[in-house]
Amino acid sequence: MLRGSGGSRPSKPMSLLSVVAMIGVLGVALVAFTGGPQAALPCFIVLFVLMAVGGVMYHLANAFSEDGVNTEEFDFRVSGDTPDHSLQDKQNAPDFADRLRDLEQLRADGLIDEAEYQAKRRQIMDDDW
């Protein structure tokens, strides 16, 4: 059983969209405080339309593209891993049975002695399954 920890964060496009939207909201608020509600209304309408167009484009891309649009990025680490070793590395590693068979073949071919065989076998068996 693999154990680990991880987290998620917004993707870069979603973060950029959020920053642009918040700058727009701050701009409308600034216009409202300096020019009054009558000056803020046109700015609000423009911001609302731009956000609606952005939302429609996002959902169209999500609906009609092959992979959709990523809204989050995930980063998971398996227990004991360093940042350079991910779950993908563990999944691509040879399984225990293959490693033990290879080790047995090395012993049968006379390439390693009994002590080396036992030490390496113990090391393989001590690895996380």
Side-chain angles (χ1 to χ4, degrees):
M1 174 169 67
L2 295 175
R3 295 182 190 167
S5 63
S8 67
R9 61 181 174 271
S11 66
K12 289 182 182 183
M14 290 305 289
S15 292
L16 182 61
L17 180 65
S18 297
V19 167
V20 170
M22 292 302 109
I23 289 173
V25 169
L26 290 173
V28 169
L30 182 65
V31 169
F33 286 124
T34 59
Q38 292 81 9
L41 184 61
C43 293
F44 174 77
I45 292 172
V46 168
L47 177 66
F48 182 80
V49 168
L50 288 175
M51 289 174 67
V53 168
V56 167
M57 290 173 51
Y58 164 79
H59 288 291
L60 285 173
N62 203 25
F64 294 109
S65 67
E66 188 171 319
D67 295 329
V69 178
N70 292 333
T71 58
E72 294 182 6
E73 296 174 353
F74 297 94
D75 182 27
F76 290 97
R77 301 276 180 232
V78 175
S79 294
D81 280 351
T82 61
D84 295 330
H85 295 78
S86 66
L87 180 59
Q88 185 67 25
D89 294 336
K90 292 281 188 189
Q91 291 172 341
N92 289 338
D95 70 356
F96 288 96
D98 289 340
R99 291 172 63 192
L100 290 171
R101 283 187 200 100
D102 290 343
L103 184 62
E104 181 68 34
Q105 188 63 46
L106 289 172
R107 184 176 68 167
D109 292 343
L111 298 174
I112 59 173
D113 63 23
E114 186 64 27
E116 292 171 317
Y117 169 80
Q118 291 298 331
K120 188 63 178 175
R121 186 176 191 285
R122 191 173 315 110
Q123 180 184 1
I124 292 171
M125 295 303 290
D126 288 342
D127 285 346
D128 288 336
W129 290 63

